């Protein structure tokens, strides 16, 4: 509560809140019930394995 009342102390935490221009590459999201949530370590490993591409023949 003291930090929230003190602008100088509160200023030290601003870089961690709502920084859309600084993407955290360590966070991976997974869909659940129409929303996204942070993936578990098991899901992160599954994403890496399942991210392989399948070659597709051209229609020409």
């Amino acid at each position: 509560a003291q930090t929230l009342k003190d602008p100088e102390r509160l200023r030290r935490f601003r870089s961690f809140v709502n920084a859309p221009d600084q993407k955290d590459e360590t966070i991976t999201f997974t869909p659940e019930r129409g929303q996204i949530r942070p993936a578990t370590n098991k899901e992160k490993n599954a994403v890496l394995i399942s991210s392989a591409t399948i070659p597709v023949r051209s229609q020409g």
Side-chain angles (χ1 to χ4, degrees), residues 4 14 18 28 30 32-33 35 53 59-60:
L4 294 174
R14 298 222 183 221
N18 296 328
T28 305
T30 188
E32 185 173 309
R33 297 187 306 262
Q35 301 177 17
T53 59
Q59 297 283 20

Side-chain angles (χ1 to χ4, degrees), residues 5-55:
K5 292 177 185 176
D6 183 349
E8 277 303 307
R9 290 173 74 185
L10 187 60
R11 183 179 60 84
R12 297 187 332 199
F13 294 94
R14 298 222 183 221
S15 63
F16 301 106
V17 178
N18 296 328
D21 58 328
Q22 297 177 3
K23 186 176 179 182
D24 186 346
E25 298 296 332
T26 63
I27 298 176
T28 305
F29 293 98
T30 188
E32 185 173 309
R33 297 187 306 262
Q35 301 177 17
I36 60 170
R37 63 167 173 76
T40 63
N41 285 334
K42 186 176 180 180
E43 291 168 332
K44 286 179 187 180
N45 292 333
V47 168
L48 292 176
I49 293 169
S50 67
S51 65
T53 59
I54 299 172

